Amino acid sequence: MLDLSFGANTPLCMSITTQRTLRAMTSSSSSSHTQDSMEQQKPQQTQRLQIYPNSNNGVTPFWREKYEREAKRYWDVFYKRHKDKFFKDRHYLDKEWGDYFSGEGRKVILEVGCGAGNTIFPVIASYPDAFVYACDFSPRAIELVKTHEDFKESRVRAFVSDLTVDDLCKEILPSSVDIVTMIFMLSAVSPEKMPLVLQNVRKIIKPNGYVLFRDYATGDLAQERFSGKDQKISDNFYVRGDGTRAYYFSNEFLTNLFRENGFAVDKLHVYCKQVENRSRELIMNRRWVQAAFRFTGDLNSSSSNEAEGNCSGSSEAKQNSSNGSLNDTAIDLSEGVAFDMFGALPSSDYEIIEIKLRGWDFKIRVLSKQYQHTCKSTGLMLWESARLMASVLAKNPDIVSGKRVLELGSGCGGICSMIAAKHADLVVATDGDALALDLLAKNVSSNLEPPLLTKLITKRMEWGNNDHIEAIKEGNKIGFDVIIGTDVTYIPEAILPLFASARELITSGASNKHGNVPALILCHIFRRVDEPSLLSAASQFGFRLVDKWPAGVPNESSQGIISKWFSVNGLLNELPSTALNILLFRLE
């Protein structure tokens, strides 16, 4: 198994199984090396070249630094999208931590990472004498707090602060806070910067003051779902689809973190609860850690109570937890939107884009822009080359008229195939990614009606995979007259399988029933693979470049074919990018 690792920002196309078609490139080897070559090729029959990796390779250093550098922006976008609807108001605080909030005198509380105020307002409602400082590094979150109907400056002071950088003493008097609440806040901080948060809190908390803590525990369903994706930043630290991050705490890590910064463990429990989402028919196993830490100032503080590391369900917690009983409100995440935390791709993570092309009006469902940076499959997006090629086909229907057309790596959009279906005899749109293919089928069915719908077939094809190729041949034994690929030349390792597959599927006849010569058309922006590399790979499988745009091929009788496509009035004005290129190949 040969795995190729690419970053989250790298365009990926498909996975490839090397087969006999790929090994055709070795036919030009000298006869003296024939036997050695055959021996070397034997194990390659089962070797799999991963262009679309299945393994979890983690977040690249570039994106790791970007998520850290732009953390504030990602959370600002989060609160712009969800406002105060994501987390539930935490009315359980009185039951869970009433012993800490009650007592003689007015309590001064600091809510760290206050978000939209889901902790603040239940606290001031339950404890009329309490005064709350509230900080968050998202300006939009602080604005949500200040515009809340229950916000009163006499009870709450809200301010923007990044506790890994900003000194709390500039806003709060030293040693003046009785209780600090950290509820699903510390998990958003890089683990290497968590000590900075606690060192900042130490400045303003009173001796023997308490930090009340609740956050994600290792083994939570969200972490399990992340494990199958390339969203791991470091151990137990992941990035969600929207760019926000989450750390999953073990008892050992959490206990050591607080002890090393002058806090003793007063109580610590790990809770488990099954949450049912009936609308999505899901049962979610949620795990979180809940704790109380007392500030002693001793950098090697010992626990006053033994931390409980076993997992307690809600009914068991009523008996074992001195913090009170758990009920349905103990799950902080609001119904429905909680699923977004799991790093999956529910329907809300997609958006519909409208594309108008010379009489065509498409509504294409694609992955939302805010989730594209963590998605491995570029097939869930619509690329500029597809828009250009679709415009060319719409204005030049003779390219596909009466022909059998195959699109390679069509992705979820399929706009080239849908336009081709109007004039072609048969169109087969293919992709190697199951998610993209599923979305492609839905987009086709929602944008086409019979008889066009009956002429367009979607098929899975990993380039070089003989089983997939043979399945396509079953539906069209004489081959395809026109093969189209848009933005399918990103990755050097994919080029040979691309041409190998095209050679297997293009019609072998000199011309089709209309006298037109079979053609392979590639539209793309040159990135990691340059033109000479493409031409070299094409020649190994019998493809010859006969025209290109915008430069054209000199000294060729066929020169000017593509330029005629653009002679249509206004087509050049529709270019989505001036960096796009079109290559036209025919068989030798």
Side-chain angles (χ1 to χ4, degrees), residues 229-277:
K229 305 174 184 296
D230 284 345
Q231 293 175 245
K232 184 176 181 179
I233 298 174
S234 60
D235 288 345
N236 297 323
F237 194 39
Y238 303 84
V239 61
R240 303 186 184 96
D242 61 1
T244 62
R245 300 170 298 174
Y247 186 86
Y248 295 83
F249 291 93
S250 67
N251 285 359
E252 181 180 8
F253 177 89
L254 188 63
T255 300
N256 289 338
L257 173 66
F258 274 84
R259 284 178 177 171
E260 290 168 3
N261 287 280
F263 293 86
V265 180
D266 190 58
K267 295 176 182 177
L268 191 153
H269 303 274
V270 175
Y271 292 103
C272 301
K273 187 177 180 68
Q274 282 194 339
V275 183
E276 182 178 3
N277 186 320

Tab-separated table of all heavy atoms in Angstrom, residues 229-277:
chain	number	residue	atom	x	y	z
A	229	LYS	N	-11.125	10.963	10.006
A	229	LYS	CA	-10.959	12.088	9.094
A	229	LYS	C	-9.583	12.702	9.269
A	229	LYS	O	-8.911	12.489	10.263
A	229	LYS	CB	-12.053	13.134	9.360
A	229	LYS	CG	-13.469	12.570	9.281
A	229	LYS	CD	-14.487	13.613	9.703
A	229	LYS	CE	-15.883	13.013	9.714
A	229	LYS	NZ	-16.307	12.607	8.377
A	230	ASP	N	-9.166	13.492	8.284
A	230	ASP	CA	-7.885	14.178	8.356
A	230	ASP	C	-8.034	15.498	9.097
A	230	ASP	O	-7.696	16.561	8.588
A	230	ASP	CB	-7.340	14.428	6.952
A	230	ASP	CG	-6.783	13.164	6.334
A	230	ASP	OD1	-6.560	12.198	7.076
A	230	ASP	OD2	-6.584	13.147	5.115
A	231	GLN	N	-8.546	15.451	10.331
A	231	GLN	CA	-8.805	16.670	11.092
A	231	GLN	C	-8.086	16.670	12.443
A	231	GLN	O	-8.379	17.487	13.300
A	231	GLN	CB	-10.318	16.854	11.280
A	231	GLN	CG	-11.036	17.130	9.967
A	231	GLN	CD	-12.537	17.185	10.110
A	231	GLN	OE1	-13.255	16.349	9.570
A	231	GLN	NE2	-13.032	18.171	10.838
A	232	LYS	N	-7.126	15.775	12.609
A	232	LYS	CA	-6.374	15.707	13.855
A	232	LYS	C	-5.210	16.688	13.806
A	232	LYS	O	-4.389	16.657	12.896
A	232	LYS	CB	-5.867	14.283	14.084
A	232	LYS	CG	-5.143	14.114	15.411
A	232	LYS	CD	-4.752	12.663	15.628
A	232	LYS	CE	-4.055	12.486	16.965
A	232	LYS	NZ	-3.691	11.066	17.204
A	233	ILE	N	-5.141	17.555	14.817
A	233	ILE	CA	-4.045	18.515	14.926
A	233	ILE	C	-2.910	17.920	15.749
A	233	ILE	O	-1.743	17.988	15.370
A	233	ILE	CB	-4.546	19.820	15.559
A	233	ILE	CG1	-5.630	20.458	14.671
A	233	ILE	CG2	-3.392	20.798	15.769
A	233	ILE	CD1	-6.282	21.678	15.279
A	234	SER	N	-3.258	17.342	16.889
A	234	SER	CA	-2.295	16.652	17.749
A	234	SER	C	-3.098	15.681	18.602
A	234	SER	O	-4.301	15.523	18.409
A	234	SER	CB	-1.517	17.657	18.610
A	234	SER	OG	-2.387	18.402	19.443
A	235	ASP	N	-2.453	15.029	19.555
A	235	ASP	CA	-3.157	14.053	20.381
A	235	ASP	C	-4.380	14.684	21.051
A	235	ASP	O	-4.267	15.684	21.771
A	235	ASP	CB	-2.222	13.491	21.460
A	235	ASP	CG	-1.187	12.550	20.876
A	235	ASP	OD1	-1.357	12.113	19.717
A	235	ASP	OD2	-0.198	12.256	21.573
A	236	ASN	N	-5.555	14.097	20.782
A	236	ASN	CA	-6.832	14.532	21.368
A	236	ASN	C	-7.258	15.938	20.974
A	236	ASN	O	-8.192	16.496	21.562
A	236	ASN	CB	-6.787	14.435	22.906
A	236	ASN	CG	-6.594	13.014	23.381
A	236	ASN	OD1	-7.115	12.072	22.795
A	236	ASN	ND2	-5.830	12.857	24.458
A	237	PHE	N	-6.624	16.511	19.961
A	237	PHE	CA	-6.921	17.879	19.534
A	237	PHE	C	-7.296	17.865	18.054
A	237	PHE	O	-6.520	17.376	17.226
A	237	PHE	CB	-5.703	18.771	19.774
A	237	PHE	CG	-5.975	20.249	19.691
A	237	PHE	CD1	-7.141	20.797	20.192
A	237	PHE	CD2	-5.037	21.111	19.124
A	237	PHE	CE1	-7.380	22.162	20.143
A	237	PHE	CE2	-5.252	22.475	19.074
A	237	PHE	CZ	-6.437	22.997	19.579
A	238	TYR	N	-8.480	18.399	17.721
A	238	TYR	CA	-9.013	18.286	16.365
A	238	TYR	C	-9.584	19.613	15.898
A	238	TYR	O	-9.937	20.480	16.707
A	238	TYR	CB	-10.133	17.232	16.311
A	238	TYR	CG	-9.707	15.861	16.778
A	238	TYR	CD1	-9.717	15.540	18.131
A	238	TYR	CD2	-9.294	14.881	15.875
A	238	TYR	CE1	-9.323	14.282	18.577
A	238	TYR	CE2	-8.902	13.631	16.301
A	238	TYR	CZ	-8.919	13.335	17.659
A	238	TYR	OH	-8.527	12.097	18.079
A	239	VAL	N	-9.678	19.755	14.586
A	239	VAL	CA	-10.348	20.905	13.998
A	239	VAL	C	-11.688	20.449	13.433
A	239	VAL	O	-11.794	19.394	12.818
A	239	VAL	CB	-9.493	21.571	12.897
A	239	VAL	CG1	-9.205	20.614	11.743
A	239	VAL	CG2	-10.186	22.834	12.374
A	240	ARG	N	-12.719	21.239	13.691
A	240	ARG	CA	-14.038	20.938	13.140
A	240	ARG	C	-14.124	21.462	11.704
A	240	ARG	O	-13.234	22.169	11.225
A	240	ARG	CB	-15.131	21.586	13.997
A	240	ARG	CG	-15.125	21.180	15.457
A	240	ARG	CD	-16.349	21.764	16.157
A	240	ARG	NE	-16.350	21.486	17.580
A	240	ARG	CZ	-15.899	22.323	18.509
A	240	ARG	NH1	-15.403	23.496	18.153
A	240	ARG	NH2	-15.942	22.015	19.775
A	241	GLY	N	-15.225	21.143	11.063
A	241	GLY	CA	-15.402	21.563	9.686
A	241	GLY	C	-15.462	23.070	9.513
A	241	GLY	O	-15.153	23.585	8.447
A	242	ASP	N	-15.853	23.809	10.566
A	242	ASP	CA	-15.974	25.262	10.447
A	242	ASP	C	-14.709	25.998	10.869
A	242	ASP	O	-14.683	27.228	10.924
A	242	ASP	CB	-17.163	25.772	11.260
A	242	ASP	CG	-17.041	25.480	12.751
A	242	ASP	OD1	-16.018	24.888	13.155
A	242	ASP	OD2	-17.968	25.814	13.514
A	243	GLY	N	-13.639	25.257	11.194
A	243	GLY	CA	-12.367	25.883	11.555
A	243	GLY	C	-12.154	26.063	13.037
A	243	GLY	O	-11.038	26.371	13.469
A	244	THR	N	-13.205	25.908	13.851
A	244	THR	CA	-13.009	25.941	15.301
A	244	THR	C	-12.397	24.621	15.753
A	244	THR	O	-12.491	23.614	15.052
A	244	THR	CB	-14.336	26.185	16.039
A	244	THR	OG1	-15.239	25.100	15.769
A	244	THR	CG2	-14.971	27.487	15.590
A	245	ARG	N	-11.784	24.629	16.932
A	245	ARG	CA	-11.043	23.449	17.377
A	245	ARG	C	-11.589	22.912	18.696
A	245	ARG	O	-12.268	23.637	19.433
A	245	ARG	CB	-9.558	23.797	17.528
A	245	ARG	CG	-8.908	24.278	16.243
A	245	ARG	CD	-7.520	24.836	16.483
A	245	ARG	NE	-7.560	26.003	17.369
A	245	ARG	CZ	-6.476	26.622	17.834
A	245	ARG	NH1	-5.278	26.188	17.490
A	245	ARG	NH2	-6.589	27.653	18.643
A	246	ALA	N	-11.286	21.648	18.975
A	246	ALA	CA	-11.773	21.021	20.206
A	246	ALA	C	-10.745	20.035	20.734
A	246	ALA	O	-10.234	19.199	19.981
A	246	ALA	CB	-13.107	20.313	19.960
A	247	TYR	N	-10.471	20.152	22.028
A	247	TYR	CA	-9.583	19.209	22.718
A	247	TYR	C	-10.438	18.304	23.603
A	247	TYR	O	-11.430	18.756	24.198
A	247	TYR	CB	-8.560	19.958	23.577
A	247	TYR	CG	-7.525	19.051	24.196
A	247	TYR	CD1	-6.371	18.701	23.504
A	247	TYR	CD2	-7.705	18.529	25.480
A	247	TYR	CE1	-5.420	17.855	24.061
A	247	TYR	CE2	-6.774	17.682	26.043
A	247	TYR	CZ	-5.630	17.342	25.326
A	247	TYR	OH	-4.709	16.493	25.879
A	248	TYR	N	-10.051	17.021	23.696
A	248	TYR	CA	-10.787	16.046	24.500
A	248	TYR	C	-9.904	15.617	25.666
A	248	TYR	O	-8.825	15.072	25.475
A	248	TYR	CB	-11.217	14.860	23.621
A	248	TYR	CG	-12.199	15.306	22.560
A	248	TYR	CD1	-11.758	15.873	21.371
A	248	TYR	CD2	-13.563	15.235	22.787
A	248	TYR	CE1	-12.645	16.340	20.420
A	248	TYR	CE2	-14.473	15.697	21.838
A	248	TYR	CZ	-14.006	16.241	20.664
A	248	TYR	OH	-14.898	16.708	19.727
A	249	PHE	N	-10.391	15.902	26.895
A	249	PHE	CA	-9.568	15.793	28.095
A	249	PHE	C	-9.623	14.397	28.698
A	249	PHE	O	-10.698	13.813	28.861
A	249	PHE	CB	-10.041	16.801	29.147
A	249	PHE	CG	-9.776	18.224	28.784
A	249	PHE	CD1	-10.746	18.983	28.134
A	249	PHE	CD2	-8.561	18.813	29.087
A	249	PHE	CE1	-10.518	20.306	27.805
A	249	PHE	CE2	-8.313	20.146	28.760
A	249	PHE	CZ	-9.299	20.892	28.113
A	250	SER	N	-8.463	13.909	29.076
A	250	SER	CA	-8.380	12.732	29.937
A	250	SER	C	-8.242	13.220	31.370
A	250	SER	O	-7.814	14.360	31.618
A	250	SER	CB	-7.167	11.876	29.557
A	250	SER	OG	-5.955	12.565	29.840
A	251	ASN	N	-8.596	12.377	32.326
A	251	ASN	CA	-8.469	12.762	33.735
A	251	ASN	C	-7.026	13.107	34.090
A	251	ASN	O	-6.756	14.088	34.793
A	251	ASN	CB	-8.953	11.623	34.629
A	251	ASN	CG	-10.467	11.508	34.643
A	251	ASN	OD1	-11.159	12.286	34.009
A	251	ASN	ND2	-10.977	10.519	35.357
A	252	GLU	N	-6.117	12.303	33.598
A	252	GLU	CA	-4.705	12.501	33.935
A	252	GLU	C	-4.196	13.848	33.416
A	252	GLU	O	-3.543	14.605	34.139
A	252	GLU	CB	-3.871	11.364	33.353
A	252	GLU	CG	-2.387	11.478	33.672
A	252	GLU	CD	-1.574	10.340	33.072
A	252	GLU	OE1	-2.154	9.555	32.283
A	252	GLU	OE2	-0.374	10.242	33.368
A	253	PHE	N	-4.493	14.145	32.149
A	253	PHE	CA	-4.028	15.413	31.565
A	253	PHE	C	-4.618	16.595	32.320
A	253	PHE	O	-3.906	17.544	32.681
A	253	PHE	CB	-4.427	15.474	30.082
A	253	PHE	CG	-4.052	16.766	29.417
A	253	PHE	CD1	-2.820	16.919	28.811
A	253	PHE	CD2	-4.937	17.852	29.404
A	253	PHE	CE1	-2.465	18.125	28.195
A	253	PHE	CE2	-4.597	19.049	28.806
A	253	PHE	CZ	-3.353	19.184	28.197
A	254	LEU	N	-5.916	16.545	32.578
A	254	LEU	CA	-6.592	17.667	33.222
A	254	LEU	C	-6.088	17.874	34.648
A	254	LEU	O	-5.814	19.007	35.063
A	254	LEU	CB	-8.102	17.425	33.211
A	254	LEU	CG	-8.979	18.584	33.684
A	254	LEU	CD1	-8.820	19.788	32.762
A	254	LEU	CD2	-10.442	18.153	33.735
A	255	THR	N	-5.953	16.789	35.380
A	255	THR	CA	-5.479	16.877	36.764
A	255	THR	C	-4.074	17.458	36.820
A	255	THR	O	-3.785	18.368	37.616
A	255	THR	CB	-5.502	15.487	37.420
A	255	THR	OG1	-6.843	14.987	37.420
A	255	THR	CG2	-4.996	15.564	38.850
A	256	ASN	N	-3.181	16.961	35.986
A	256	ASN	CA	-1.799	17.465	35.975
A	256	ASN	C	-1.735	18.923	35.550
A	256	ASN	O	-0.946	19.709	36.097
A	256	ASN	CB	-0.940	16.619	35.038
A	256	ASN	CG	-0.678	15.232	35.588
A	256	ASN	OD1	-0.767	15.013	36.795
A	256	ASN	ND2	-0.362	14.289	34.721
A	257	LEU	N	-2.561	19.303	34.580
A	257	LEU	CA	-2.576	20.683	34.097
A	257	LEU	C	-2.906	21.648	35.232
A	257	LEU	O	-2.210	22.661	35.438
A	257	LEU	CB	-3.600	20.826	32.961
A	257	LEU	CG	-3.860	22.239	32.445
A	257	LEU	CD1	-2.613	22.800	31.767
A	257	LEU	CD2	-5.039	22.253	31.474
A	258	PHE	N	-3.929	21.360	35.983
A	258	PHE	CA	-4.329	22.263	37.065
A	258	PHE	C	-3.362	22.197	38.239
A	258	PHE	O	-3.033	23.229	38.846
A	258	PHE	CB	-5.763	21.946	37.503
A	258	PHE	CG	-6.801	22.653	36.674
A	258	PHE	CD1	-7.224	22.120	35.472
A	258	PHE	CD2	-7.336	23.866	37.082
A	258	PHE	CE1	-8.178	22.765	34.694
A	258	PHE	CE2	-8.288	24.532	36.320
A	258	PHE	CZ	-8.712	23.975	35.110
A	259	ARG	N	-2.897	21.013	38.612
A	259	ARG	CA	-1.968	20.903	39.730
A	259	ARG	C	-0.681	21.664	39.467
A	259	ARG	O	-0.139	22.336	40.345
A	259	ARG	CB	-1.652	19.428	40.000
A	259	ARG	CG	-2.768	18.682	40.712
A	259	ARG	CD	-2.392	17.228	40.891
A	259	ARG	NE	-3.429	16.496	41.637
A	259	ARG	CZ	-3.440	15.192	41.791
A	259	ARG	NH1	-2.486	14.445	41.256
A	259	ARG	NH2	-4.402	14.607	42.482
A	260	GLU	N	-0.192	21.562	38.235
A	260	GLU	CA	1.070	22.230	37.895
A	260	GLU	C	0.937	23.745	37.873
A	260	GLU	O	1.943	24.455	37.792
A	260	GLU	CB	1.565	21.720	36.541
A	260	GLU	CG	2.037	20.266	36.586
A	260	GLU	CD	2.256	19.680	35.200
A	260	GLU	OE1	2.093	20.435	34.204
A	260	GLU	OE2	2.583	18.493	35.100
A	261	ASN	N	-0.301	24.233	37.929
A	261	ASN	CA	-0.516	25.680	37.913
A	261	ASN	C	-1.182	26.179	39.189
A	261	ASN	O	-1.805	27.245	39.206
A	261	ASN	CB	-1.345	26.067	36.695
A	261	ASN	CG	-0.543	25.980	35.403
A	261	ASN	OD1	0.218	26.879	35.080
A	261	ASN	ND2	-0.698	24.878	34.689
A	262	GLY	N	-1.063	25.385	40.265
A	262	GLY	CA	-1.462	25.867	41.582
A	262	GLY	C	-2.879	25.577	41.996
A	262	GLY	O	-3.406	26.241	42.895
A	263	PHE	N	-3.528	24.581	41.401
A	263	PHE	CA	-4.902	24.240	41.743
A	263	PHE	C	-4.986	22.792	42.233
A	263	PHE	O	-4.397	21.893	41.630
A	263	PHE	CB	-5.825	24.410	40.535
A	263	PHE	CG	-5.991	25.834	40.089
A	263	PHE	CD1	-5.081	26.414	39.204
A	263	PHE	CD2	-7.044	26.609	40.552
A	263	PHE	CE1	-5.225	27.727	38.789
A	263	PHE	CE2	-7.199	27.923	40.134
A	263	PHE	CZ	-6.288	28.489	39.255
A	264	ALA	N	-5.735	22.592	43.300
A	264	ALA	CA	-5.972	21.250	43.822
A	264	ALA	C	-7.305	20.727	43.287
A	264	ALA	O	-8.264	21.492	43.102
A	264	ALA	CB	-6.005	21.272	45.350
A	265	VAL	N	-7.367	19.445	43.058
A	265	VAL	CA	-8.610	18.834	42.578
A	265	VAL	C	-9.558	18.660	43.754
A	265	VAL	O	-9.256	17.940	44.707
A	265	VAL	CB	-8.333	17.459	41.924
A	265	VAL	CG1	-9.639	16.834	41.440
A	265	VAL	CG2	-7.341	17.603	40.776
A	266	ASP	N	-10.705	19.322	43.682
A	266	ASP	CA	-11.713	19.171	44.716
A	266	ASP	C	-12.697	18.070	44.345
A	266	ASP	O	-13.023	17.212	45.156
A	266	ASP	CB	-12.458	20.494	44.926
A	266	ASP	CG	-13.351	20.450	46.153
A	266	ASP	OD1	-12.830	20.202	47.251
A	266	ASP	OD2	-14.571	20.642	45.997
A	267	LYS	N	-13.166	18.090	43.114
A	267	LYS	CA	-14.054	17.047	42.590
A	267	LYS	C	-13.766	16.876	41.111
A	267	LYS	O	-13.494	17.862	40.409
A	267	LYS	CB	-15.527	17.411	42.789
A	267	LYS	CG	-15.972	17.489	44.241
A	267	LYS	CD	-17.411	17.951	44.350
A	267	LYS	CE	-17.823	18.080	45.823
A	267	LYS	NZ	-19.208	18.601	45.951
A	268	LEU	N	-13.878	15.646	40.657
A	268	LEU	CA	-13.697	15.397	39.226
A	268	LEU	C	-14.450	14.128	38.855
A	268	LEU	O	-14.217	13.076	39.445
A	268	LEU	CB	-12.209	15.282	38.866
A	268	LEU	CG	-11.858	15.273	37.371
A	268	LEU	CD1	-10.451	15.818	37.150
A	268	LEU	CD2	-11.950	13.876	36.773
A	269	HIS	N	-15.351	14.241	37.902
A	269	HIS	CA	-16.132	13.099	37.431
A	269	HIS	C	-16.184	13.109	35.909
A	269	HIS	O	-16.187	14.180	35.295
A	269	HIS	CB	-17.574	13.138	37.957
A	269	HIS	CG	-17.695	13.190	39.442
A	269	HIS	ND1	-17.682	12.058	40.221
A	269	HIS	CD2	-17.823	14.238	40.291
A	269	HIS	CE1	-17.808	12.411	41.499
A	269	HIS	NE2	-17.894	13.728	41.560
A	270	VAL	N	-16.217	11.932	35.328
A	270	VAL	CA	-16.485	11.792	33.901
A	270	VAL	C	-17.891	11.248	33.754
A	270	VAL	O	-18.234	10.229	34.348
A	270	VAL	CB	-15.477	10.847	33.207
A	270	VAL	CG1	-15.869	10.644	31.747
A	270	VAL	CG2	-14.068	11.423	33.290
A	271	TYR	N	-18.701	11.949	32.977
A	271	TYR	CA	-20.094	11.555	32.790
A	271	TYR	C	-20.324	11.035	31.374
A	271	TYR	O	-19.724	11.525	30.407
A	271	TYR	CB	-21.021	12.746	33.040
A	271	TYR	CG	-21.054	13.201	34.475
A	271	TYR	CD1	-20.372	14.346	34.884
A	271	TYR	CD2	-21.772	12.486	35.427
A	271	TYR	CE1	-20.399	14.761	36.203
A	271	TYR	CE2	-21.809	12.897	36.752
A	271	TYR	CZ	-21.119	14.036	37.130
A	271	TYR	OH	-21.159	14.440	38.444
A	272	CYS	N	-21.205	10.063	31.265
A	272	CYS	CA	-21.633	9.538	29.965
A	272	CYS	C	-23.146	9.661	29.878
A	272	CYS	O	-23.843	9.444	30.865
A	272	CYS	CB	-21.259	8.070	29.800
A	272	CYS	SG	-19.506	7.733	29.940
A	273	LYS	N	-23.614	10.002	28.699
A	273	LYS	CA	-25.058	10.086	28.513
A	273	LYS	C	-25.389	9.813	27.053
A	273	LYS	O	-24.704	10.309	26.160
A	273	LYS	CB	-25.586	11.459	28.920
A	273	LYS	CG	-27.117	11.556	28.920
A	273	LYS	CD	-27.562	12.923	29.401
A	273	LYS	CE	-29.076	13.047	29.415
A	273	LYS	NZ	-29.715	12.193	30.434
A	274	GLN	N	-26.431	9.039	26.829
A	274	GLN	CA	-26.921	8.806	25.476
A	274	GLN	C	-27.939	9.891	25.128
A	274	GLN	O	-28.912	10.088	25.847
A	274	GLN	CB	-27.566	7.433	25.331
A	274	GLN	CG	-26.558	6.299	25.219
A	274	GLN	CD	-27.207	5.017	24.745
A	274	GLN	OE1	-28.410	4.825	24.842
A	274	GLN	NE2	-26.394	4.115	24.218
A	275	VAL	N	-27.684	10.581	24.039
A	275	VAL	CA	-28.574	11.637	23.577
A	275	VAL	C	-29.217	11.171	22.281
A	275	VAL	O	-28.532	10.803	21.329
A	275	VAL	CB	-27.807	12.952	23.334
A	275	VAL	CG1	-28.766	14.059	22.912
A	275	VAL	CG2	-27.039	13.344	24.583
A	276	GLU	N	-30.526	11.202	22.236
A	276	GLU	CA	-31.246	10.739	21.045
A	276	GLU	C	-31.729	11.936	20.234
A	276	GLU	O	-32.356	12.854	20.751
A	276	GLU	CB	-32.452	9.881	21.437
A	276	GLU	CG	-33.202	9.329	20.229
A	276	GLU	CD	-34.364	8.444	20.628
A	276	GLU	OE1	-34.621	8.309	21.849
A	276	GLU	OE2	-35.020	7.890	19.730
A	277	ASN	N	-31.385	11.918	18.957
A	277	ASN	CA	-31.889	12.905	18.018
A	277	ASN	C	-32.893	12.194	17.129
A	277	ASN	O	-32.540	11.506	16.172
A	277	ASN	CB	-30.734	13.491	17.180
A	277	ASN	CG	-31.194	14.634	16.285
A	277	ASN	OD1	-32.273	14.577	15.710
A	277	ASN	ND2	-30.359	15.649	16.171
